[in-house]
Amino acid sequence: DHVWLPIDAKFPLDDYQRLIESEDRADLIVSAELRKSLENRIKSEAKDIHTKYIDVPYTTDFGILFVPIESLYAEILRIPGLFEAIRRDYKVIVTGPTTIQAILNSLHMGFRTLSIQKRSSEVWEVLGVVKKEFGKFGDLLEKTQEKLTQAGKTIEDAVKKTRTIEKKLSKAGDNPLIGDEEVVEKVIETLE
């Protein structure tokens, strides 16, 4: 019936805000710690989506973690290997405001294509059955044509016999020496 796509919006704004403030102060050590904290938080949220919401066959085998701020999404992408690790380990795709629509459109088209492929296999099955039945119908038509040809030949032979009998009868009727009884006997001889 329906297969659900798990999507969860996460707002690790406190972690992100502290990271931005430390970068504004040019505090590299604190910035590195806060970036690591943000990375762990995003991994934790992805794991949470994976364990709570992904339930194949009722859902897709992957989920989407949506972050509502583009700069937060960009920061997640800047952390080396984070995006790929989340996708590989938790089967979760991270999206931001500009990418969510593109991903949903791509998924929509993919599922439509899958549905069409599934339907096309059903159509091919039906066409296979129709082809088989049409072959049987062709065989019946050939047999009917043979019977009709035989019937036509039989009628043609009967017409020829009728003409032969008519000619002999007309000759017998033209002969004044032959009486009615003799005509009947001549016809019987002809027929035999």
Side-chain angles (χ1 to χ4, degrees), residues 62-132:
F62 64 94
I64 295 177
L65 187 156
F66 173 71
V67 291
I69 300 169
E70 197 62 42
S71 57
L72 173 57
Y73 176 67
E75 188 65 41
I76 292 169
L77 292 179
R78 281 198 330 227
I79 299 173
L82 178 60
F83 186 84
E84 292 81 15
I86 290 171
R87 194 180 74 230
R88 180 188 62 243
D89 298 340
Y90 304 113
K91 297 187 187 231
V92 171
I93 300 169
V94 180
T95 64
T98 57
T99 57
I100 187 74
Q101 189 64 43
I103 287 176
L104 291 177
N105 285 339
S106 296
L107 290 172
H108 178 71
M109 290 304 295
F111 287 128
R112 285 186 62 117
T113 302
L114 183 64
S115 175
I116 289 169
Q117 287 174 344
K118 181 180 178 185
R119 287 302 214 184
S120 69
S121 66
E122 291 172 10
V123 168
W124 281 113
E125 287 177 25
V126 169
L127 286 175
V129 170
V130 168
K131 181 181 176 184
K132 184 178 177 182

Side-chain angles (χ1 to χ4, degrees), residues 48-68:
D48 189 47
I49 290 171
H50 178 78
T51 56
K52 283 185 179 179
Y53 303 122
I54 296 176
D55 186 21
V56 177
Y58 306 108
T59 68
T60 56
D61 63 346
F62 64 94
I64 295 177
L65 187 156
F66 173 71
V67 291

